[in-house]
Amino acid sequence: MAIHCNVRGRSFILTILILLINPCFAEKSNFIIMLMDDMGWGDLGVFGEPNKETPNLDKMAAEGMLFPDFYSANPLCSPSRAALLSGRLPIRNGFYTTNAHARNAYTPQIIMGGIPDEEVLLPELLQKVGYRSKIIGKWHLGHRPQFHPLKHGFDEWFGSPNCHFGPYDDKTTPNIPVYRDTEMIGRYYEEFPVNKKTGESNLTQIFIQEAVSFIENQSSKGQPFFLYWAVDATHEPLYASWPFLGTSRRGLYGDAVRELDYGVGVILQKLKSLDIDKNTFVFFSSDNGAATYAKTDGGSNGPFLCGKQTTFEGGVREPSIAWWPGKIQPGQVSHQVGSLMDLYTTLVNLAGAEVPKDRIIDGIDLYDVLFRNQTFDRPLFYYRGNELMAVRMGVYKAHLWTWTNSIQEYNQGIDFCPGEEIVNVTTHEQVNHSSLPLLFHIGRDFGEKYIIGPNSVEYKMVMPKIITVIENHKGSLVPGMPQLNLCDDAVMNWSPPGCEKLNKCLKAPPSKPYKCPWPH
């Protein structure tokens, strides 16, 4: 049986005695979070993808624990990532907008905001107990220098503050910078090319090698580490390296998935070859559901309704696997309702660090879930911008609001729920159901197709309990200062730190802040 190592609050002498009799205290565990970008629940063979093109992830699941009921904290990238690293809902950590009701918002390079200093991120807490942390890939919590990863607990960074959109002309819009630690070392589509015609790019291979090198360095030093592998090849524009192009039955998206699966295999094998696999907890997931509006250039959300941008199951239920040889028993499936925010609390406790007590932390400790395969009830809140859209309790889900996207966008071909039209559910206007929430049993109706009638015995038994949970949640809610309200062309990546060394500093336009428009 795994032992939960925690020496907080003990005297020095007692701690020494514990170290002598309990070896698990003598060596801190390593942590790796592998966070994909826009990868859907149905993209893995182990979740039923028919082409079976993810052998390494399927093996990871066979050797560990599969989580079919695991969620992001938001259906969009930036708020989801802020929630993961802070352990708090975006409405609390400020990653939302009040410019319009229930609108998704993120951090394009025109955004003025970013992760607030007041938020205590996971690497900051791990740093206090001797960990070295590295982020590889997309940060997406603010691109201005004060918001960068090394200002918020990370010791190393290789990647970008924004999505790999482009190419831009470096006149009206600068290309996105790639950083090593505190300084830019190039820009996407320049020093780090992505061929938008063929999809060819070596970025995933670079991200794999960065992970391997960090693991090797930390292993040789004997220092515990936290690796946040936030790769983004499955986010449009899709990319894969030459050996993987054209190898998938699913087209370029499948090529990208196959290369990421390969990378997972390389990293896990490196842990084994260094003989640190039994001391390393690895968790694989995604930041939000697949982008169904991308059609064949997007992923699959399996049997779930809609996708990215929505608070239906397809927008927030993620393909999730926990792996820790010798600690997590192989071949397990947990139906615990989990959230990316839970990784915050779980890793902090496993490291013997202190979870902040001066704020509400929404993430729960998954210790008994991972090591004893226990499950317990907890509510899960689905926000879209500044509005609580839905709540899950056990096998039930109540919708307080429904909305996909506007009819104007839909008529332009932007469809968040392609092929899925459910009357009074997949609405193209914001519909308020708060006085009589829509209720679904997502154990037997995981596609959210069949509304439980408000006059039924089932509704009358279940809904009062959910209403109480909602009232308690809203009654104690203190929203954070919204970070995603203001935009300004002058704050784009014109002259990132280090641009002078590369002769790549660009002239910024005059500052003219304005309210960011968020169409959905």
Side-chain angles (χ1 to χ4, degrees):
M1 179 182 295
I3 301 171
H4 198 177
C5 302
N6 193 332
V7 297
R8 290 174 292 175
R10 301 179 185 272
S11 69
F12 176 76
I13 295 176
L14 182 57
T15 300
I16 295 299
L17 290 174
I18 291 171
L19 287 171
L20 291 174
I21 63 175
N22 189 346
C24 81
F25 282 92
E27 185 178 18
K28 287 186 178 295
S29 301
N30 307 309
F31 308 127
I32 299 177
I33 295 176
M34 299 174 166
L35 191 72
M36 303 299 104
D37 202 337
D38 291 6
M39 186 178 284
W41 190 95
D43 281 332
L44 309 188
V46 71
F47 282 120
E49 200 287 315
N51 294 301
K52 304 294 183 184
E53 294 180 344
T54 55
N56 293 295
L57 283 162
D58 297 348
K59 182 182 179 184
M60 181 183 180
E63 294 176 350
M65 179 177 280
L66 195 65
F67 284 87
D69 292 75
F70 212 87
Y71 293 82
S72 64
N74 194 267
L76 196 61
C77 39
S78 294
S80 173
R81 292 160 192 261
L84 185 160
L85 290 176
S86 70
R88 287 153 52 82
L89 286 164
I91 193 69
R92 299 193 206 275
N93 64 38
F95 263 64
Y96 69 101
T97 181
T98 55
N99 287 355
H101 178 253
R103 301 300 174 110
N104 291 321
Y106 70 110
T107 55
Q109 61 170 327
I110 53 173
I111 202 75
M112 294 185 68
I115 193 70
D117 286 340
E118 293 76 22
E119 293 301 313
V120 183
L121 302 193
L122 174 59
E124 295 180 69
L125 297 175
L126 296 179
Q127 198 175 57
K128 292 178 180 179
V129 290
Y131 279 76
R132 187 168 183 85
S133 300
K134 181 168 184 172
I135 171 176
I136 297 171
K138 187 168 78 172
W139 171 237
H140 230 206
L141 301 187
H143 63 280
R144 301 170 74 189
Q146 65 267 35
F147 302 125
H148 283 185
L150 270 62
K151 296 290 183 67
H152 294 273
F154 283 99
D155 301 289
E156 300 181 34
W157 178 26
F158 181 88
S160 174
N162 308 97
C163 285
H164 57 281
F165 293 142
Y168 300 117
D169 60 8
D170 281 341
K171 295 178 182 178
T172 57
T173 306
N175 277 308
I176 305 297
V178 175
Y179 281 80
R180 182 172 295 284
D181 300 332
T182 59
E183 294 188 345
M184 178 181 83
I185 56 173
R187 295 182 187 269
Y188 284 138
Y189 300 95
E190 296 174 20
E191 290 74 20
F192 295 90
V194 179
N195 188 319
K196 293 186 73 171
K197 291 183 179 179
T198 66
E200 183 176 359
S201 175
N202 288 328
L203 285 171
T204 296
Q205 290 300 315
I206 296 172
F207 293 149
I208 293 170
Q209 187 53 54
E210 286 288 327
V212 168
S213 297
F214 177 70
I215 292 168
E216 289 175 337
N217 289 339
Q218 291 307 113
S219 177
S220 66
K221 296 174 183 176
Q223 182 181 21
F225 65 82
F226 166 48
L227 172 60
Y228 178 38
W229 199 56
V231 288
D232 63 355
T234 45
H235 188 297
E236 287 188 297
L238 307 171
Y239 62 81
S241 65
W242 180 83
F244 289 89
L245 286 177
T247 64
S248 170
R249 290 169 55 87
R250 302 180 65 192
L252 181 55
Y253 183 87
D255 296 341
V257 171
R258 290 197 68 240
E259 188 167 17
L260 291 170
D261 175 79
Y262 165 81
V264 170
V266 169
I267 292 171
L268 297 187
Q269 183 56 44
K270 176 55 63 175
L271 296 174
K272 293 177 181 178
S273 67
L274 293 173
D275 197 27
I276 59 173
D277 56 315
K278 292 181 173 59
N279 194 41
T280 305
F281 171 63
V282 184
F283 199 90
F284 176 94
S285 195
S286 178
D287 62 349
N288 48 249
T292 50
Y293 56 81
K295 302 175 183 176
T296 57
D297 282 338
S300 166
N301 294 311
F304 303 117
L305 183 62
C306 301
K308 177 182 177 179
Q309 301 276 9
T310 77
T311 50
F312 298 110
E313 291 295 286
V316 286
R317 202 186 289 215
E318 310 305 336
S320 301
I321 304 168
W323 184 89
W324 195 348
K327 301 282 176 52
I328 296 175
Q329 295 302 308
Q332 295 188 91
V333 176
S334 173
H335 287 284
Q336 174 64 46
V337 176
S339 165
L340 288 176
M341 296 182 292
D342 300 341
L343 299 179
Y344 179 94
T345 308
T346 304
L347 299 194
V348 169
N349 286 336
L350 285 172
E354 290 278 357
V355 175
K357 294 181 173 60
D358 62 345
R359 65 200 64 204
I360 292 176
I361 300 296
D362 296 290
I364 62 173
D365 191 345
L366 296 176
Y367 181 85
D368 288 332
V369 177
L370 294 166
F371 307 121
R372 300 188 179 117
N373 204 357
Q374 298 179 0
T375 58
F376 45 88
D377 289 336
R378 59 89 68 88
L380 205 62
F381 302 101
Y382 304 66
Y383 273 85
R384 186 163 172 171
N386 59 350
E387 185 61 74
L388 178 61
M389 303 288 286
V391 178
R392 175 169 175 175
M393 280 286 292
V395 293
Y396 291 96
K397 182 177 179 182
H399 287 272
L400 308 179
W401 289 80
T402 55
W403 187 39
T404 59
N405 61 330
S406 69
I407 191 64
Q408 291 81 9
E409 279 192 320
Y410 177 78
N411 290 336
Q412 293 169 6
I414 303 172
D415 189 355
F416 293 165
C417 308
E420 301 172 309
E421 189 170 326
I422 302 174
V423 177
N424 296 327
V425 178
T426 55
T427 56
H428 289 294
E429 60 181 9
Q430 295 183 9
V431 181
N432 187 354
H433 305 279
S434 298
S435 62
L436 195 65
L438 304 184
L439 183 65
F440 295 90
H441 187 299
I442 56 175
R444 62 176 183 251
D445 175 25
F446 33 76
E448 297 170 277
K449 294 181 175 65
Y450 308 107
I451 301 171
I452 298 172
N455 293 322
S456 68
V457 173
E458 187 175 16
Y459 189 98
K460 292 176 181 178
M461 287 179 60
V462 172
M463 190 53 67
K465 299 175 184 177
I466 296 178
I467 293 296
T468 298
V469 167
I470 292 169
E471 290 174 347
N472 290 340
H473 170 71
K474 288 189 172 182
S476 63
L477 179 67
V478 179
M481 181 71 68
Q483 295 294 308
L484 309 180
N485 278 354
L486 291 178
C487 289
D488 188 347
D489 290 355
V491 304
M492 289 197 285
N493 294 290
W494 300 104
S495 298
C499 66
E500 302 90 350
K501 297 178 182 178
L502 303 174
N503 194 28
K504 280 189 165 288
C505 300
L506 305 172
K507 185 178 180 180
S511 177
K512 294 181 179 179
Y514 58 94
K515 282 190 173 183
C516 308
W518 302 114
H520 39 255

